[in-house]
Amino acid sequence: MPSVSESFRRKEGPEKLTGVAKYIDDYPLPGCIHGVTLRSSIARGVIKNIHFDPAFDWGPVTVVSAKDIPGQNYVYLIEVDQPLLAEHQIRHAEEPILVIGHPDRAKAYEALGHVHVEYDEWDPVLTMEESLDAKRLLYAADNVFKRIEIVKGDLDAGFALADFIVEEEYRVPHQEQAYIENNGMAAWEEDDGTLTIMGSMQCPFYVHKAMSPLFPREPDKIRVIQTTTGGGFGGKEEYPNMIAGHAALLALEAKRPVKIIYDRHEDMLATTKRHPARVRHRTGVRRDGTLVAQDIDVLMDGGAYVTLSPVVLSRGILHATGPYECPNVRVVGRVVATSTPPNGAFRGFGAPQTLFAAELQMEKIAARLQMDPVAIRRKNLLREGALTATGQMLRESVGASTVLEQVLARSRFADKKKKYARWNQSKRRPSWRGIGLAAVFHGDGFTGGGEVFLRSQARVALSPDGRIRVDAAATEIGQGTTSILAQIVADALEVPYDWVEVETPDTSKVPDSGPTVASRTCMIVGALLHRAAKKLKLALLNAGAHWPLGREAFERAAARACASRGELDFVEEFEKPGDIEWDDVSYRGDAYGVFSYAAMVVELEIDKLTYEITVKNVVTAQDVGKAINPLLVEGQIIGGTSQALGYALLENAIFDRGVMQNAQLTNYIIPTTLDTPPMDVTIVEKPYSKGPFGAKGVGELPMDVPAPAVAAAVYDATGLFLTELPILPEKLCQALHAQEN
Amino acid sequence: MKVLRPHSVDDALELYERHPDAVPLAGGTDFMVAWNGGSENGRLILDLSALASWRRIRDTPSMLRLGALVTHWQLQQETLVKKKFPLLVDACATIGGRQIQSRGTLGGNIANASPAGDTFAPLAVYDARVRLRSAAGRRKLPFMDVFAGVKKTHLRPGELIELVELDFPKKPARQFFRKVGTRSASAISKTVAAGLLWLRRDGTVRELRFALGSMAPTVRRLYSVESFLLGKKPTPRVVKEAVALLEADVDPIDDLRSTRFYRMEVSRNLLRAFLRSGS
Amino acid sequence: MPKKIELEVMINGQKQVYRGPAFKRLIDVLREDFALTGTKEGCGEGECGSCTVLLDGELVNSCLIPVCQAEGARVETIEALGTPTALDQLQTFFLTKGGAQCGICTPGMIMSAWVYVREGGGSDAASIREALAGNLCRCTGYQHIVESVIATVQASNRRTRKK
């Protein structure tokens, strides 16, 4: 039976369901010490002095500082500006200064209270606008980490053709990933000098690369192993490098295994969040709704260090136009430095920020033109043959209008819009009701030349006893990597799903198939494995195997095929598809191999007494090319939508002087069962010729679409055009009050 | 941490008299959070959880006696509580998830004196009395006299909450409970309202009791509104005047969860809706 | 009571003796003293429900319980249900209906769902959502979890009817 398109049970499911699966804190690590991190209490300044309370018993305590780092003091990523431990300068609150270890976790925390750091405090730069002023310099001469510009056509000529020009400014806040397993890492040095790191992470080879400059040694003397990971959403893309460095440094100093497990408060205070952004739109449009000019300015808050900000900005601006074709476009993107903890990867990676603005701008334009928001979208939507802002011609797999028409039909959008308008007419109703629409696209895989640069590799191996093993660095973080990779390989080999095993991502065992990010696992890694498995099948055919194959026949064939070699394996490496061209300097060309598409209709109700917003129903259709495992795809869509509803309505990270004030799950509010509506999900499959079985990406796509649909529904319900997330009852209350007066 | 775990009330009172600095611990749903967070370390704990007699709900012909250690989950299961004190049951159902409801206790919550205590608005409108016990004896406090401020009570050293007394009320014409929290479940309140209204045959107000939580350092009865409406018919004009008096009795703040403006606005809306719900 | 105590507690049907600090959290006792690491910590303040266990049959957050309060009590954890090769019915439906993704909230979620099913909860989504409101999940958006519980309730209803 073919595996692809079947909702096979997730491979690691039984272990997770019984509590047997081991997350990093579940490993006892005999003899280990517990590491805790001393962090700066100021947002900006210099360390003058560190004082250790002499009354405290420091005997059993190990303390490491920047001075103990054998190599160079930076956490390798795009730039090398972020120290592993601050030595002199402090650039954000909660910046790590010391790591302290004790065999007893409680004692380690107690020790923290007996270290006193004296600072010279400088005025911090807390907002993007302050940073742009460049009165206080944090980075280079202008505080701008990265500026990127996309230009298509002639903007002035476009505006000259416009009957209307519509302008608006949109704002989105920080968002916390809020995986339920906090970050955690263990490290120790083996007798042969191998530095072993184990923990919760998305990208074992990122950690591996980050360790080399800190702890110089041969690459094979650094080993990174992913443990069962309790959610990532981008939050375990880059920050694990930091924790791994801290654990390793302490382990080398103490000559014992070290475990560092963050508690929720520390995880929320110190680790990365989604970049806040300000997006300004100026759109030229013809009377009939045709877009003729899009002038978009994107500003993001990078936090104190570069980390992944340039790439987040890149994805942000590449999605800033929304899924529409416009002949004249300029997008200017800047990400700036502030004295706040660095912002980083979070599902969608810049796109949810700019797509919120782009889609709400469409609502604004429709209102201005007194045009149906559906009609204006139909008019401008990307279709096959369209040219995106970077001049990319969409040759295939463009599901934009299919997903739009699906949700309109399934939600009975037009009928309900009328029905709710009637409901809202009566002043006696206890609530307002509204319905909103949004449509988005999402580029799959790394931007531009990124995949070429990565040169990912993945392997399929066969042992003489007939075991089929998938070796890849792609991590299972809940999304179903293990299961879908096994399904792809099983079908390429035409064998049952259960015959395929997937190796734990361990840098000493698997090739570097790249990071588990950017909705790339299925499409990129899956395709590599598909090719490798096809080659393996050929080898089996050459060894005389005939399909269909029973288990015994397969084992005999495997023994023959492996012959004297012990194990037969095929490694595939990513090759640049011939028809993809990208220029990273001019930002012209094929930004992504392909895009996924989604549309959503949100229905909501607002209590007139309390302004509480209840999402009553969500209808969505998402074009993923091919659903390798429909249940898992649906899980991604519903889960991502739920996170995005939190982004739209609940999640409000409050900062004061660069410190998150509500760094607890009690006060940073994520959706419960009762905040999450029933969802009607339609999977659309517009196959992509280079994806395995036609598959594109799905991981990030559902994060992009709900927030603008919610804002549109609030507008439909109340007539309030709210341009800033989250749409809290407090904001509605204030805005309604202002409207009345 | 040192723990004292008495198995009888007398032992508990005697231990507390000897160690008035001890922290009485009931369900621990608040204290354990603080302790997990690293504060409260090294305290002496007086664990009351073994006092089985304080877990009981008993009724007399005129009232209910709710033991201090009765949990919020337990209160929702009791037929008599559901029948006579539905606002209290409604409130209990909004306190965290079931895991919290099954640990948090009526007495523990009162002693903790959080401004956001969800049961407080109902207890205030039911004119509850709190019976206190110490080695020296018993005394009663009207519920509204228990609180001294944020996280502060008028309990004396060595005094524990033994039970809460609730007189069976005459059937009200209207009753009301509403918690407005940060989300639909497991939320801390932004404002919480409870109301009871008795009318005369001519439609004038015989008695009104209305209380708000999270709107001041302690739960507040809206005495100004209540006395203004006595003997009046709640016509739209009268209600409007009454609602304007709300701010005399509350003083909410801006905090991590909401704003003063929102809290005032919503509380006025809830009061207005309650007063006008019969018309 | 001194700082260190000794107490008996019935864990998953087995009598166990705990020796250690009186104010150690139940979650730490389960994980560290009895190697029952199926119970997970997500927030340490009773908000996420990942550490949900049963204490004398009642759902509780084990991060909020000092072990002294479990003296003589019955504790049931995720380990009381099935094993990977012999899942119980609820776990089987969580597997086939997609009720678990990253798995970290899953043990606590299953404990809450288990109590719901055991107490004869109905197969309507609203009641199930109400019963699981104390367990946060960041992956699934809950729908597949609710469907897993619905399937379990329906299956056990069918079984009861047959009898």
Side-chain angles (χ1 to χ4, degrees):
Chain A
M1 186 173 76
S3 302
V4 166
S5 298
E6 292 294 323
S7 293
F8 271 102
R9 299 164 179 212
R10 70 168 52 240
K11 285 244 169 212
E12 80 294 358
E15 281 72 28
K16 286 178 173 172
L17 288 159
T18 50
V20 170
K22 279 204 177 331
Y23 299 77
I24 184 61
D25 200 22
D26 300 337
Y27 290 86
L29 294 190
C32 81
I33 61 173
H34 296 273
V36 296
T37 314
L38 182 88
R39 299 176 179 281
S40 67
S41 60
I42 63 164
R44 185 162 173 255
V46 290
I47 301 169
K48 273 169 64 184
N49 186 17
I50 301 178
H51 179 76
F52 293 85
D53 180 357
F56 186 75
D57 175 16
W58 294 97
V61 181
T62 311
V63 180
V64 287
S65 71
K67 292 191 182 65
D68 299 300
I69 297 168
Q72 310 218 43
N73 183 15
Y74 61 76
V75 185
Y76 173 80
L77 214 55
I78 291 171
E79 286 193 16
V80 293
D81 59 332
Q82 185 176 25
L84 181 71
L85 291 168
E87 191 166 2
H88 180 62
Q89 275 228 37
I90 296 295
R91 295 181 183 275
H92 65 84
E94 311 301 334
E95 183 160 14
I97 299 170
L98 302 173
V99 187
I100 294 177
H102 191 286
D104 181 342
R105 201 183 279 186
K107 283 272 184 226
Y109 278 115
E110 201 184 319
L112 278 184
H114 295 272
V115 186
H116 305 288
V117 184
E118 262 182 79
Y119 304 92
D120 246 344
E121 199 171 347
W122 301 347
D123 283 338
V125 175
L126 297 173
T127 65
M128 291 183 270
E129 282 80 3
E130 247 186 291
S131 177
L132 274 184
D133 280 350
K135 283 193 188 127
R136 285 187 288 280
L137 284 185
L138 306 177
Y139 183 86
D142 57 1
N143 286 338
V144 176
F145 283 140
K146 180 84 176 177
R147 183 185 187 281
I148 318 175
E149 190 168 329
I150 298 173
V151 177
K152 177 190 183 189
D154 180 337
L155 199 64
D156 292 338
F159 278 115
L161 289 173
D163 296 316
F164 296 94
I165 294 174
V166 181
E167 288 183 71
E168 190 55 87
E169 178 179 299
Y170 303 89
R171 277 179 189 269
V172 288
H174 285 97
Q175 187 186 17
E176 163 61 37
Q177 292 88 355
Y179 31 70
I180 304 294
E181 181 207 27
N182 292 310
N183 267 291
M185 208 61 76
W188 64 90
E189 193 174 34
E190 304 280 359
D191 292 340
D192 69 354
T194 303
L195 177 61
T196 304
I197 313 269
M198 195 167 92
S200 187
M201 67 182 82
Q202 291 175 231
C203 312
F205 279 95
Y206 274 12
V207 175
H208 192 276
K209 284 185 195 98
M211 293 307 102
S212 299
L214 291 162
F215 312 105
R217 58 192 69 207
E218 291 301 308
D220 67 343
K221 292 291 183 201
I222 297 172
R223 181 182 176 193
V224 181
I225 310 161
Q226 184 219 5
T227 51
T228 308
T229 296
F233 317 117
K236 293 171 185 170
E237 177 171 344
E238 73 272 29
Y239 204 85
N241 298 359
M242 174 77 79
I243 312 171
H246 291 164
L249 183 61
L250 194 58
L252 294 175
E253 181 70 23
K255 302 194 180 355
R256 288 169 72 173
V258 166
K259 217 168 154 178
I260 297 182
I261 309 289
Y262 284 3
D263 65 19
R264 178 62 60 183
H265 189 56
E266 180 173 22
D267 197 302
M268 282 192 156
L269 279 176
T271 74
T272 57
K273 293 183 178 46
R274 183 185 300 290
H275 288 67
R278 182 195 79 189
V279 184
R280 289 177 172 159
H281 274 257
R282 189 166 164 260
T283 315
V285 60
R286 302 292 298 265
R287 208 172 303 279
D288 68 354
T290 308
L291 299 176
V292 287
Q294 287 178 297
D295 187 9
I296 304 165
D297 179 79
V298 177
L299 180 63
M300 288 185 177
D301 177 351
Y305 294 104
V306 174
T307 64
L308 294 170
S309 287
V311 206
V312 173
L313 178 71
S314 168
R315 187 171 281 273
I317 65 162
L318 286 167
H319 291 79
T321 58
Y324 306 104
E325 188 174 21
C326 176
N328 308 294
V329 179
R330 181 177 67 185
V331 186
V332 175
R334 285 166 298 176
V335 58
V336 295
T338 59
S339 314
T340 60
N343 295 309
F346 189 165
R347 196 177 202 165
F349 209 74
Q353 290 95 316
T354 56
L355 282 164
F356 170 71
E359 273 304 87
L360 216 47
Q361 177 75 358
M362 288 306 272
E363 290 293 316
K364 178 144 188 154
I365 295 167
R368 177 71 186 279
L369 267 58
Q370 295 182 305
M371 195 170 167
D372 176 10
V374 175
I376 192 165
R377 286 183 169 89
R378 281 186 181 136
K379 191 154 207 85
N380 295 289
L381 213 54
L382 291 170
R383 38 184 66 84
E384 253 172 58
L387 287 176
T388 67
T390 62
Q392 174 170 4
M393 152 102 60
L394 301 177
R395 296 182 196 89
E396 60 169 331
S397 186
V398 184
S401 62
T402 312
V403 295
L404 179 67
E405 299 308 326
Q406 278 277 353
V407 297
L408 291 172
R410 287 189 72 86
S411 67
R412 296 184 294 117
F413 182 80
D415 290 351
K416 283 204 178 139
K417 206 170 161 71
K418 279 185 217 137
K419 201 174 109 189
Y420 293 158
R422 279 198 303 277
W423 172 275
N424 293 333
Q425 266 167 12
S426 165
K427 284 224 176 339
R428 295 181 63 87
R429 305 281 190 200
S431 65
W432 296 284
R433 290 180 179 174
I435 187 163
L437 169 72
V440 299
F441 66 152
H442 195 96
D444 295 313
F446 264 43
T447 304
E451 290 296 344
V452 179
F453 177 75
L454 274 177
R455 289 222 314 261
S456 301
Q457 293 186 341
R459 175 169 58 213
V460 176
L462 177 72
S463 57
D465 58 357
R467 290 172 52 204
I468 305 159
R469 199 184 66 241
V470 170
D471 291 340
T475 51
E476 169 66 59
I477 53 174
Q479 80 287 48
T481 296
T482 309
S483 309
I484 58 155
L485 295 184
Q487 283 177 272
I488 289 167
V489 167
D491 266 22
L493 285 171
E494 293 180 55
V495 299
Y497 170 67
D498 291 342
W499 292 10
V500 182
E501 297 168 16
V502 180
E503 180 62 81
T504 301
D506 171 341
T507 57
S508 72
K509 292 181 179 168
V510 301
D512 184 359
S513 62
T516 302
V517 303
S519 312
R520 63 183 293 280
T521 296
C522 178
M523 187 178 91
I524 304 283
V525 184
L528 294 176
L529 290 168
H530 188 246
R531 273 179 11 221
K534 284 285 185 197
K535 288 191 178 163
L536 174 58
K537 189 182 172 207
L538 197 62
L540 285 162
L541 281 167
N542 288 338
H546 297 282
W547 268 260
L549 266 176
R551 183 66 203 173
E552 274 176 38
F554 183 79
E555 282 173 15
R556 283 196 302 275
R560 278 198 306 278
C562 293
S564 54
R565 265 173 298 210
E567 199 178 82
L568 182 64
D569 65 26
F570 292 91
V571 181
E572 286 292 309
E573 183 171 307
F574 182 82
E575 288 161 11
K576 186 174 93 75
D579 53 353
I580 289 189
E581 291 302 333
W582 173 254
D583 181 355
D584 210 28
V585 178
S586 67
Y587 255 64
R588 302 298 299 159
D590 301 308
Y592 299 97
V594 72
F595 292 87
S596 296
Y597 300 86
M600 182 173 286
V601 167
V602 166
E603 290 165 64
L604 50 77
E605 184 157 23
I606 302 170
D607 189 311
K608 283 185 181 172
L609 297 179
T610 64
Y611 317 102
E612 291 168 297
I613 304 169
T614 310
V615 178
K616 306 297 275 190
N617 196 26
V618 166
V619 177
T620 186
Q622 314 217 353
D623 166 27
V624 302
K626 175 79 182 176
I628 301 294
N629 184 319
L631 183 71
L632 294 178
V633 168
E634 221 183 82
Q636 285 297 292
I637 293 172
I638 298 170
T641 301
S642 166
Q643 284 179 7
L645 291 175
Y647 186 45
L649 292 169
L650 300 173
E651 299 181 30
N652 189 28
I654 301 168
F655 278 78
D656 184 28
R657 293 198 61 88
V659 183
M660 186 178 178
Q661 300 299 299
N662 51 342
Q664 308 152 274
L665 285 177
T666 308
N667 287 319
Y668 181 83
I669 303 298
I670 65 170
T672 69
T673 47
L674 297 179
D675 301 284
T676 317
M679 299 183 203
D680 175 284
V681 178
T682 304
I683 297 171
V684 171
E685 298 181 326
K686 293 272 178 193
Y688 171 47
S689 58
K690 297 179 188 72
F693 303 93
K696 305 190 279 192
V698 65
E700 299 169 287
L701 179 66
M703 187 77 220
D704 295 337
V705 68
V710 165
V714 169
Y715 177 53
D716 185 50
T718 61
L720 292 172
F721 192 76
L722 298 177
T723 55
E724 185 174 354
L725 296 181
I727 302 175
L728 298 171
E730 283 77 5
K731 282 190 201 158
L732 266 183
C733 172
Q734 198 94 42
L736 284 162
H737 198 264
Q739 194 187 43
E740 277 165 24
N741 295 331
Chain B
M1 303 288 280
K2 270 196 179 165
V3 179
L4 307 168
R5 192 161 195 263
H7 283 74
S8 77
V9 172
D10 287 343
D11 285 355
L13 297 171
E14 192 213 328
L15 283 168
Y16 200 22
E17 187 178 36
R18 259 195 286 144
H19 304 282
D21 55 331
V23 182
L25 185 74
T29 51
D30 265 296
F31 180 79
M32 291 302 286
V33 175
W35 186 69
N36 284 349
S39 56
E40 308 293 334
N41 234 336
R43 299 291 299 267
L44 176 66
I45 303 293
L46 180 66
D47 177 10
L48 305 175
S49 63
L51 305 184
S53 64
W54 283 11
R55 292 191 176 281
R56 281 185 217 131
I57 297 175
R58 271 175 288 202
D59 58 297
T60 73
S62 65
M63 70 166 104
L64 268 190
R65 288 205 174 97
L66 309 171
L69 297 179
V70 168
T71 67
H72 299 120
W73 180 253
Q74 205 182 337
L75 281 170
Q76 294 170 68
Q77 315 308 314
E78 291 286 335
T79 318
L80 202 53
V81 183
K82 282 196 272 193
K83 201 169 141 201
K84 298 286 189 185
F85 303 99
L87 307 184
L88 182 58
V89 173
D90 289 349
C92 288
T94 69
I95 302 175
R98 175 159 169 191
Q99 294 95 321
I100 297 295
Q101 291 169 21
S102 65
R103 288 305 286 177
T105 65
L106 192 64
N109 257 32
I110 295 171
N112 192 50
S114 159
D118 289 321
T119 52
F120 297 174
L123 291 172
V125 296
Y126 286 130
D127 277 341
R129 289 177 301 275
V130 177
R131 201 161 86 181
L132 306 170
R133 197 92 192 255
S134 66
R138 286 195 167 105
R139 70 179 177 124
K140 273 185 205 175
L141 280 179
F143 180 70
M144 293 305 293
D145 294 349
V146 170
F147 302 109
V150 174
K151 298 251 162 193
K152 287 195 183 77
T153 65
H154 289 296
L155 268 64
R156 293 171 189 152
E159 228 170 24
L160 294 169
I161 296 174
E162 180 184 18
L163 54 80
V164 173
E165 291 181 351
L166 291 172
D167 292 335
F168 295 130
K170 281 206 193 78
K171 198 174 167 0
R174 290 178 219 163
Q175 51 190 335
F176 177 81
F177 175 80
R178 181 77 184 257
K179 167 172 163 177
V180 182
T182 47
R183 66 181 160 206
S184 306
S186 290
I188 299 179
S189 59
K190 297 171 177 178
T191 178
V192 52
L196 292 171
L197 177 69
W198 292 268
L199 295 173
R200 292 201 181 83
R201 213 166 276 163
D202 63 0
T204 58
V205 172
R206 178 189 300 277
E207 189 179 359
L208 167 71
R209 299 181 202 157
F210 200 90
L212 289 168
S214 291
M215 291 289 289
T218 65
V219 63
R220 289 293 165 83
R221 278 275 292 271
L222 301 185
Y223 293 122
S224 314
V225 177
E226 291 178 6
S227 57
F228 171 78
L229 279 166
L230 268 188
K232 294 195 177 75
K233 263 191 190 167
T235 62
R237 193 185 53 80
V238 168
V239 169
K240 193 174 173 191
E241 282 178 58
V243 169
L245 295 171
L246 180 142
E247 58 194 300
D249 287 304
V250 293
D251 188 18
I253 55 168
D254 289 338
D255 65 10
L256 290 178
R257 293 182 272 274
S258 192
T259 62
R260 175 186 166 90
F261 182 84
Y262 175 82
R263 288 176 155 126
M264 288 302 293
E265 201 68 8
V266 169
S267 299
R268 283 191 204 102
N269 290 351
L270 294 177
L271 175 62
R272 188 183 306 115
F274 174 60
L275 295 175
R276 288 172 61 173
S277 54
S279 57
Chain C
M1 224 182 259
K3 273 190 173 178
K4 296 252 174 180
I5 55 162
E6 180 173 314
L7 57 80
E8 274 185 8
V9 52
M10 185 78 91
I11 302 176
N12 297 333
Q14 281 191 310
K15 194 180 275 183
Q16 302 281 8
V17 177
Y18 164 80
R19 291 180 192 86
F23 219 70
K24 193 167 177 173
R25 305 180 307 168
L26 181 58
I27 184 176
D28 298 330
V29 170
L30 292 170
R31 291 173 55 86
E32 294 167 13
D33 296 69
F34 299 108
L36 296 168
T37 54
T39 302
K40 308 298 183 189
E41 176 161 355
C43 70
E45 51 183 25
E47 194 67 23
C48 74
S50 297
C51 65
T52 301
V53 301
L54 294 181
L55 183 67
D56 283 332
E58 211 24 273
L59 280 175
V60 297
N61 290 314
S62 59
C63 76
L64 297 185
I65 310 253
V67 65
C68 56
Q69 293 196 335
E71 183 176 13
R74 275 179 299 119
V75 175
E76 287 157 288
T77 69
I78 186 68
E79 286 88 353
L81 280 80
T83 61
T85 49
L87 296 177
D88 91 345
Q89 190 176 49
L90 181 64
Q91 289 165 322
T92 304
F93 279 116
F94 264 71
L95 184 61
T96 56
K97 300 280 176 188
Q101 288 190 19
C102 86
I104 194 80
C105 77
T106 306
M109 191 70 78
I110 293 209
M111 295 311 284
S112 293
W114 192 41
V115 167
Y116 179 80
V117 175
R118 216 167 58 173
E119 290 180 352
S123 62
D124 60 302
S127 310
I128 294 168
R129 284 180 182 269
E130 190 77 45
L132 302 181
N135 293 78
L136 293 176
C137 167
R138 188 63 155 167
C139 292
T140 64
Y142 305 106
Q143 189 154 313
H144 285 169
I145 291 173
V146 172
E147 284 163 9
S148 307
V149 180
I150 290 175
T152 310
V153 171
Q154 286 172 342
S156 38
N157 287 350
R158 273 195 300 277
R159 239 192 357 255
T160 333
R161 249 177 286 147
K162 269 183 200 157
K163 272 177 194 168

